[in-house]
Amino acid sequence: MGSDTQPFDLAVIGAGPGGYVASIRAAQLGMRVALIERDRLGGICLNWGCIPTKALLQSAHILSLMRRAEEFGIHADNLRADFGVAVKRSREKAQRLSKGIEYLMRKHKVAVFSGEARFTSAKELEVGGADGKTKGSIRAERILLATGSRPRLLPNLTVDGQVILTSTEAMLLNRAPASMIIIGGGAIGVEFADIYQAYGTAVTIVELLPTILPYEDEEITALLHRSLTKKGIKILTGTKVEQVIVEAGKAKVRVSNNDGNKELSGETVLVAVGRVANSEVGGLKELGVATKNGYVAVNEWMESSIAGIYAIGDLVGAPLLAHKASHEGIVAVEKMAKLDDVTPVDPRRIPSCTYCHPQVASIGLTEAKAKAEGYTIRVGRFPFSASGMAITLGEAEGMVKVIADATHGEILGVHIMGAHATELIAEAGLAIALEATPEEIAKSIHAHPTISEAVAEAALAALGRPIHV
Ligand code: FAD
């Protein structure tokens, strides 16, 4: 070890929700922690993902409500929207939260190194500056990789930030374009569709698979498809993008589906076809780390194939979600600290949320998956059109769907489309974590009037005795 090499118990590479949360937990457990970040604290989530998109969605939601103002007895004449200001606000929120992580690192005495980490051995890292020069070296007993992911691009298509965009450029435009073709109908594509549609952009989503949000319950995605179409978003599912040509500041997108070939034209194209793991950390390949489909391969305790090197978050694969990354980070460091009660992250307990309006949220098995796994199921549904609170809010679209095992009663999955779905899913998460039954949800008294009553009613419906339908 060189004289200027600093010793740590744990070095974490990447300060996204995986890496910074793992650093805090490790510090709480008494480890001396180094956190290395080449860009901004908070990673994609705070700076280029969850947070700025939710800020933009909030602006879009307020604008949509203002357009309906008359319905609520409010005259909003001369309504004008400034997308540039919404973007500025979203950047401010992201910066504020990133600053908050700086404070948390100081509070927990995590040593933050700014620069690009590369391995010089399985226990040593160099931190390089933007000029490529080494700024320092670190030795750590354990190294946790939390380097995240970046947008997947399409072959032969250059992202120019003007016509061809990824999610990063799409959250920095200073005005809403006249039209946008969104390639990919996953959560990111759908959220941007909702944002831009609200600001008057003519949005078309092109999705290769048969449904948008392809991992959600089919009944829910069908409802969402209908709702977004009603808003004016065009959705082409089962449709393949054959070619994208940029000409005179516009894009032509050739697509094919069962109806034949078609050419769409748009002022902008958002490529939202998934993400690629940042697995090219310097020196890692040379150490011989095992990968699987481009992701770093790990066991249930987030250990890679190299002793002492762990990996978490987007880097280790789907679902690419911030809370999954954070939980994997906690599991990894608690296991390092040999805590007794650590349990691996159970994929069935990871909620999935899409923050378009109406929102979509789910946890556990879809109806199709539950059947495919051989369960005999009971399904309870409760429409928001029968929820007093949803009606008063003027957001009576959607439903809660509870799927329970008919034999033992255990709740297998909960799927929601509608107002505050992304908040309601926490109750379902707790129910699944406690292996609760619909009976137990129904016995828990839900305040009236709340949207959460719909969860209790769907649970009652699974028992065959809903009250309000
Ligand atoms: P990241 O957040 O990607 O952080 C990795 C960090 O590592 C980066 O800061 C990077 O600079 C750094 N790094 C990489 N290599 C090195 C190196 N060699 N040296 C030093 N530093 C390095 N998820 C949700 O749960 N909810 C949402 O609402 C949501 N919305 C999203 C919206 C968009 C537009 C996008 C793109 C993503 C969204 N996600 C959402 C996904 C979420 O952002 C990711 O799942 C999450 O950020 C992954 O966390 P992570 O810690 O694994 O990696």
Side-chain angles (χ1 to χ4, degrees):
M1 183 163 88
S3 59
D4 50 359
T5 301
Q6 300 188 45
F8 290 93
D9 298 312
L10 174 69
V12 179
I13 309 179
Y20 85 74
V21 169
S23 299
I24 293 174
R25 186 68 189 117
Q28 286 173 341
L29 291 165
M31 296 182 211
R32 288 169 305 167
V33 185
L35 173 64
I36 307 137
E37 172 55 56
R38 65 182 177 193
D39 191 4
R40 301 175 193 189
L41 296 185
I44 293 298
C45 166
L46 256 66
N47 297 291
W48 305 109
C50 321
I51 295 299
T53 49
K54 266 76 263 178
L56 290 172
L57 279 157
Q58 176 67 354
S59 293
H61 185 50
I62 292 172
L63 180 56
S64 306
L65 284 178
M66 294 292 282
R67 294 224 163 91
R68 292 171 55 194
E70 291 287 333
E71 189 189 314
F72 297 90
I74 300 161
H75 307 293
D77 304 328
N78 300 321
L79 182 63
R80 288 176 305 128
D82 188 333
F83 188 67
V85 175
V87 168
K88 190 165 165 275
R89 176 180 179 274
S90 77
R91 300 316 311 157
E92 283 163 6
K93 303 298 171 201
Q95 268 159 27
R96 177 176 161 181
L97 285 162
S98 181
K99 282 258 170 245
I101 308 296
E102 267 176 39
Y103 158 77
L104 288 173
M105 294 305 107
R106 279 198 305 277
K107 180 180 165 192
H108 291 280
K109 300 193 172 42
V110 172
V112 176
F113 292 79
S114 177
E116 175 106 19
R118 66 177 305 279
F119 284 87
T120 48
S121 77
K123 289 193 187 303
E124 279 172 319
L125 298 169
E126 260 177 18
V127 183
D131 54 5
K133 288 192 187 142
T134 303
K135 286 166 74 179
S137 23
I138 288 166
R139 184 180 166 79
E141 280 314 302
R142 295 188 179 89
I143 294 175
L144 175 66
L145 294 161
T147 53
S149 66
R150 58 183 182 274
R152 182 183 296 283
L153 304 177
L154 291 173
N156 308 321
L157 192 61
T158 310
V159 175
D160 57 20
Q162 307 278 321
V163 181
I164 309 295
L165 318 167
T166 68
S167 57
T168 308
E169 295 76 30
M171 62 182 85
L172 292 174
L173 298 182
N174 53 19
R175 65 173 183 88
S179 54
M180 180 177 280
I181 297 163
I182 300 180
I183 307 178
I188 294 176
V190 166
E191 288 186 2
F192 276 106
D194 197 40
I195 291 167
Y196 278 106
Q197 192 277 334
Y199 278 89
T201 301
V203 176
T204 307
I205 299 176
V206 182
E207 168 57 52
L208 182 66
L209 294 172
T211 65
I212 52 169
L213 303 186
Y215 301 107
E216 296 290 352
D217 188 274
E218 279 173 31
E219 206 174 341
I220 297 289
T221 54
L223 278 181
L224 182 70
H225 189 121
R226 208 177 314 144
S227 172
L228 297 182
T229 306
K230 207 167 81 191
K231 277 187 175 191
I233 296 173
K234 287 201 185 108
I235 303 175
L236 301 171
T237 48
T239 303
K240 189 171 178 216
V241 170
E242 301 288 353
Q243 199 181 17
V244 182
I245 302 168
V246 180
E247 239 173 43
K250 286 218 156 54
K252 284 183 186 160
V253 180
R254 295 206 178 114
V255 299
S256 65
N257 56 26
N258 285 342
D259 299 332
N261 297 335
K262 190 150 113 168
E263 188 173 279
L264 312 170
S265 82
E267 191 181 323
T268 50
V269 171
L270 167 58
V271 182
V273 292
R275 309 219 9 124
V276 182
N278 290 328
S279 55
E280 312 82 358
V281 180
L284 182 63
K285 202 171 162 196
E286 289 72 6
L287 291 173
V289 76
T291 57
K292 197 176 168 195
N293 305 326
Y295 297 107
V296 170
V298 286
N299 65 12
E300 61 190 328
W301 304 116
M302 317 317 296
E303 292 166 310
S304 77
S305 59
I306 302 168
I309 300 184
Y310 297 69
I312 57 166
D314 283 10
L315 179 66
V316 301
L320 306 189
L321 294 168
H323 42 282
K324 187 211 78 149
S326 301
H327 270 265
E328 287 177 345
I330 289 169
V331 166
V333 297
E334 289 190 347
K335 193 67 185 169
M336 290 173 202
K338 300 192 169 53
L339 296 197
D340 291 336
D341 59 346
V342 195
T343 46
V345 174
D346 176 352
R348 287 196 190 176
R349 295 187 186 180
I350 303 173
S352 173
C353 296
T354 306
Y355 298 75
C356 53
H357 290 95
Q359 296 186 337
V360 173
S362 65
I363 190 161
L365 299 179
T366 61
E367 185 173 344
K369 276 213 184 109
K371 284 181 182 159
E373 289 193 16
Y375 287 101
T376 308
I377 55 171
R378 270 195 257 153
V379 179
R381 297 176 181 81
F382 187 77
F384 279 13
S385 57
S387 151
M389 191 56 166
I391 288 170
T392 62
L393 293 179
E395 299 193 33
E397 252 185 310
M399 69 164 170
V400 178
K401 175 172 176 179
V402 170
I403 298 166
D405 176 3
T407 316
H408 302 290
E410 189 182 338
I411 293 169
L412 302 172
V414 176
H415 305 272
I416 310 174
M417 184 192 94
H420 304 288
T422 59
E423 300 292 338
L424 295 184
I425 205 66
E427 178 178 7
L430 185 62
I432 289 184
L434 298 176
E435 296 175 9
T437 61
E439 193 90 50
E440 283 160 326
I441 288 196
K443 275 188 180 157
S444 150
I445 300 171
H446 290 67
H448 176 78
T450 58
I451 299 278
S452 70
E453 289 170 292
V455 178
E457 284 276 9
L460 280 171
L463 300 169
R465 48 187 172 87
I467 301 292
H468 288 95
V469 280

